[in-house]
Amino acid sequence: MNGNFVAGEWVTSQQATPNINPSNTNDIIGEYAVADEKMVADACDAAAAAFPKWRASIQQRFDILDAAGNEILARREELGRLLAREEGKILAEAIGEVTRAGHIFKFFAGEAVRMTGDMIDSVRPGIEVAVTREPLGPIGVITPWNFPIAIPAWKIAPALAYGNTVVFKPADLVPGCAWAIVDILHRAGLPSGVLNLVMGRGSRIGPAIIENSHIKAVSFTGGTATGAGIAAACSKRGIKYQLEMGGKNPCLILDDADLKIAVDSTINSAFFSTGQRCTASSRLIVTEGIHDRFVEEMQARLATLKVGDAVGEGVHIGPVVDERQLRQDMDYIDIGQKEGATLAFGGARLECATPGFYLSPALFTGVTNDMRIAREEIFGPVAAVIKVKDFEEGLAVSNDTPFGLSAGICTSSLRDATRFRREAKAGMVMVNLPTAGVDYHVPFGGVKESSYGSREQGRYAVEFYTTVKTAYMFGG
Ligand code: NAD
């Protein structure tokens, strides 16, 4: 059994969760210990005890994060295979995600030694003002299942780089990558208590972390409803929190778009990674002049995609992550048809060589933006085509959503692309690119119900993981 990691020790428990491969439910990847409230309390105590020394160890922070990044990169094929087996994205995507995690650790290694502040003359003669950033203390990190290594990396790496300690709770569907990250950081020389791993059900472990008085901030990625509960719990304690949640990302395709670019980028962002990305394009908003050609081309391309085992040869789309998510996807496919949309492609549960949660990518046409399939996050390989008259209507429909994570446009008009970039109500805008697929060194996040708090990733991460101190000094 793979244990939790508390105060520098691997700790097993009476209860374990099997890590099941969604491509083949007969393949059990491992057994992972389930933490309890006492283990969480011990982890928070350890993180608090380790904090004073860790915050003063800049060179050590660089060395450990850099070494961890190097090991992740060196083992990208092996870790990618583990990720593909436990989450179900295809091997190439999984190796890409692991590579990204390695780069994130190396980026934040550099950030540890690049902390700056400001020295400002006071408005009062003879006084100097120093503005510095300080770590917060023990941070609760709570992550979802769909990016099992990249999301933990983009929270844990900056938390540690800026001198905080961490209590980490991964999603219970994907303990393998979480365990591997902690093992790598531990062997890279992380002192006891600096990073603790507590696995298990969110409804039990999550509140135990958030309500612990040692925890000074919580960084969460997951569903909007879970995020709302976390916000309430953190507000009650008066601690800082950062939420990255759902999306219903539009891609606006205009008459003057390059059809190949439009189809390539929407096939990628709507269906790759089985559509299980918060930045997936789930609303394809298409102007009248290109609509029929776009739909025909999409149908033709979808027919060439192979759904199958995530580590299988020639597979483009792996399985849905589990039975519950598959049921949710199928329910929405049903809802869409009942709402009057046309299922123009796919949407059927598939039998493959091994027992798994396979679904053919589903394309709806004749969708209106008030339908549930256009308003609610499905989180599967299901996309809705909404026909609009022109750019103006397309922009309005793009923005008519409670979410605001990523928004894309395909056009050859600089004027329309520029207007869209300025007027899209989203944290990230993509021009002639998939709405999903972002760099690791620039800010990531959204607006409206998609995100709350300061941005993640790149140098902007410093905002969440530190607090600012202003010191006034008079030499006499
Ligand atoms: P989820 O909300 O069910 O779970 C996320 C994490 O929260 C898990 O670790 C879970 O165990 C934990 N959790 C559950 N209940 C909790 C509680 N009461 N208190 C504290 N923690 C609790 O989400 P999921 O199904 O793992 O992930 C899918 C969702 O994540 C989708 O909505 C997707 O859009 C979102 N997501 C967002 C981003 C982003 O950056 N915006 C990125 C990836 C995924």
Side-chain angles (χ1 to χ4, degrees):
M1 182 196 301
N2 294 294
N4 289 292
F5 192 64
V6 178
E9 305 284 338
W10 293 106
V11 192
T12 56
S13 69
Q14 301 289 73
Q15 225 195 326
T17 316
N19 188 0
I20 299 168
N21 179 350
S23 297
N24 177 3
T25 52
N26 293 327
D27 176 25
I28 307 297
I29 298 155
E31 299 276 338
Y32 291 82
V34 174
D36 56 23
E37 285 82 354
K38 164 82 171 66
M39 246 183 242
V40 175
D42 290 347
C44 295
D45 286 348
F51 175 60
K53 239 179 151 179
W54 181 246
R55 67 173 291 186
S57 62
I58 291 177
Q59 185 59 45
Q60 196 184 12
R61 273 152 36 195
F62 173 90
D63 293 341
I64 291 169
L65 295 175
D66 193 53
N70 287 337
E71 180 170 339
I72 291 168
L73 291 174
R75 292 173 55 196
R76 66 179 95 183
E77 303 268 337
E78 171 213 338
L79 292 169
R81 189 163 283 271
L82 167 67
L83 197 164
R85 272 175 77 206
E86 74 173 352
E87 197 268 350
K89 67 183 59 166
I90 62 168
L91 195 55
E93 291 171 330
I95 292 170
E97 185 185 330
V98 172
T99 304
R100 179 194 176 97
H103 289 151
I104 289 169
F105 274 101
K106 291 180 73 67
F107 176 88
F108 283 107
E111 287 300 283
V113 291
R114 219 176 280 131
M115 277 288 270
T116 55
D118 292 319
M119 204 67 183
I120 302 169
D121 283 335
S122 167
V123 291
R124 290 168 282 164
I127 296 176
E128 280 182 329
V129 185
V131 181
T132 52
R133 286 191 177 273
E134 296 187 347
L136 304 171
I139 311 258
V141 163
I142 301 177
T143 56
W145 50 261
N146 66 329
F147 283 92
I149 196 161
I151 294 180
W154 82 52
K155 294 180 189 297
I156 292 170
L160 298 180
Y162 297 125
N164 303 282
T165 55
V166 170
V167 177
F168 167 38
K169 196 215 92 63
D172 41 355
L173 283 175
V174 288
C177 286
W179 192 93
I181 266 200
V182 174
D183 172 55
I184 288 168
L185 281 158
H186 168 50
R187 286 185 296 93
L190 210 60
S192 296
V194 170
L195 172 64
N196 303 271
L197 172 70
V198 280
M199 300 179 280
R201 279 252 152 247
S203 51
R204 183 171 176 200
I205 305 299
I209 296 173
I210 297 163
E211 285 158 21
N212 188 288
S213 60
H214 289 307
I215 296 295
K216 298 293 181 274
V218 174
S219 180
F220 165 83
T221 299
T224 303
T226 317
I230 289 175
C234 290
S235 301
K236 200 163 157 212
R237 283 201 50 227
I239 60 170
K240 199 171 179 181
Y241 58 96
Q242 172 185 56
L243 312 172
E244 288 299 342
M245 301 171 287
K248 195 72 195 174
N249 309 292
C251 183
L252 175 55
I253 294 148
L254 299 183
D255 286 355
D256 63 9
D258 178 318
L259 189 60
K260 183 170 179 326
I261 289 178
V263 171
D264 284 351
S265 68
T266 43
I267 288 281
N268 174 329
S269 58
F271 301 112
F272 287 175
S273 298
T274 323
Q276 297 174 153
R277 292 185 285 192
C278 51
T279 47
S281 299
S282 45
R283 293 184 302 139
L284 312 179
I285 302 163
V286 189
T287 49
E288 285 167 350
I290 197 172
H291 176 274
D292 294 357
R293 279 184 295 138
F294 174 75
V295 170
E296 259 171 45
E297 197 58 34
M298 287 291 286
Q299 287 167 315
R301 283 291 294 283
L302 284 168
T304 68
L305 299 182
K306 183 173 167 193
V307 177
D309 189 322
V311 298
E313 271 299 302
V315 171
H316 300 99
I317 300 177
V320 172
V321 74
D322 70 352
E323 182 74 45
R324 192 197 58 80
Q325 182 63 50
L326 179 65
R327 227 178 306 121
Q328 177 167 314
D329 298 348
M330 304 282 296
D331 283 350
Y332 274 108
I333 289 164
D334 213 35
I335 290 166
Q337 289 170 288
K338 289 196 177 117
E339 286 180 309
T342 304
L343 187 57
F345 191 92
R349 184 164 188 173
L350 301 175
E351 295 287 328
C352 291
T354 47
F357 309 113
Y358 299 106
L359 178 64
S360 59
L363 185 72
F364 275 106
T365 54
V367 178
T368 54
N369 201 43
D370 56 353
M371 290 181 183
R372 282 183 65 195
I373 56 166
R375 298 211 79 75
E376 297 169 18
E377 184 182 53
I378 300 172
F379 217 55
V382 185
V385 177
I386 302 171
K387 197 197 274 190
V388 291
K389 198 157 68 11
D390 54 15
F391 173 82
E392 294 304 331
E393 186 186 351
L395 177 64
V397 170
S398 294
N399 285 336
D400 178 10
T401 168
F403 297 104
L405 192 55
S406 182
I409 184 167
C410 291
T411 179
S412 50
S413 156
L414 178 62
R415 188 196 54 212
D416 289 342
T418 305
R419 265 200 67 199
F420 188 82
R421 180 166 65 76
R422 290 190 180 143
E423 295 182 35
K425 293 189 171 61
M428 293 171 290
V429 174
M430 307 291 180
V431 177
N432 294 320
L433 286 167
T435 54
V438 295
D439 287 1
Y440 66 86
H441 66 308
V442 292
F444 177 96
V447 298
K448 299 198 272 183
E449 288 180 24
S450 290
S451 300
Y452 179 85
S454 43
R455 287 284 183 266
E456 298 204 81
Q457 300 196 56
R459 302 198 76 177
Y460 284 66
V462 76
E463 204 50 59
F464 182 73
Y465 291 103
T466 61
T467 185
V468 169
K469 180 175 277 175
T470 311
Y472 294 81
M473 292 164 291
F474 178 54

